[in-house]
Amino acid sequence: CIRADGSLWVGTIGNGLYQIKDGRTVVYSAANGLSDDCVLAVCADAHGTVWAGTRAGGLHRFENEKMTTFTSADGLPGAPITALLPARSGGLWVGSGNGELIRGDNQFHNITVSKLHPRLGGKAILGLCEGAHGLWIGSSGGGLGCLVGNRCLVWDTREGLVDDTVSGVIEDADANLWLVL
């Protein structure tokens, strides 16, 4: 992800998290506090705070040159953190490798599983996008979900998707939805 200050933050599969700015690289790894060197998701919020989720289930916040770590003690599931998205109304959406959807900032709360469609149950959340119609959820094997209030709608190959794995979701300025399958 690219932060407002122009720094590029890159998660790697085995080499930690890289921050690149003005030709200088800083590496965060398990050796200096990261919960795992496998970083599966990275995002920056409107305040410039960078969030990184790891395979070990740790969530890390980088703010004002300080790293804060969140774990299951803070309401996270202890499963790999596979998707991150700053929430429009503040806080963070967190998708996990075991299909849990979590929302929070300093304390995290699981979105009631009954709100999610059974077809998404237990499927890794790979992509999140807060769009004009609700929170879009891309999953590994459960298709595409859209959480609207207390309802969750799902589209998969039964409804015409070419694949049940949706690894990325974005919405353009005209509210068209784009998927990475």
Side-chain angles (χ1 to χ4, degrees), residues 1-9 21 43-50:
C1 77
I2 298 176
R3 203 164 83 173
D5 69 358
S7 61
L8 174 65
W9 293 71
K21 184 177 181 196
C43 75
D45 65 23
H47 306 291
T49 301
V50 172

Side-chain angles (χ1 to χ4, degrees), residues 15-172:
N15 290 312
L17 177 68
Y18 285 67
Q19 175 192 9
I20 305 164
K21 184 177 181 196
D22 299 328
R24 184 173 166 253
T25 302
V26 177
V27 179
Y28 299 93
S29 68
N32 59 8
L34 208 60
S35 61
D36 185 359
D37 287 335
C38 183
V39 178
L40 301 175
V42 182
C43 75
D45 65 23
H47 306 291
T49 301
V50 172
W51 297 86
T54 68
R55 179 180 54 196
L59 179 63
H60 304 276
R61 179 177 65 202
F62 297 85
E63 186 174 43
N64 301 322
E65 307 302 318
K66 180 183 173 199
M67 179 173 66
T68 304
T69 300
F70 300 92
T71 65
S72 56
D74 303 297
L76 294 171
I81 303 297
T82 51
L84 296 171
L85 177 71
R88 285 187 178 167
S89 60
L92 186 70
W93 289 105
V94 179
S96 74
N98 65 356
E100 290 187 49
L101 179 63
I102 300 106
R103 174 111 189 243
D105 193 352
N106 288 316
Q107 286 292 313
F108 295 88
H109 307 283
N110 191 336
I111 303 303
T112 307
V113 175
S114 63
K115 286 187 180 181
L116 296 182
H117 197 282
R119 284 193 242 172
L120 294 175
K123 307 288 193 297
I125 295 174
L126 303 177
L128 295 168
C129 175
E130 204 166 0
H133 303 291
L135 179 68
W136 294 97
I137 304 165
S139 75
S140 177
L144 175 70
C146 186
L147 185 61
V148 183
N150 289 328
R151 291 185 54 202
C152 186
L153 307 170
V154 172
W155 296 265
D156 61 16
T157 54
R158 291 174 258 193
E159 285 78 33
L161 281 182
V162 297
D163 199 306
D164 286 339
T165 296
V166 178
S167 56
V169 185
I170 59 170
E171 187 177 270
D172 66 21

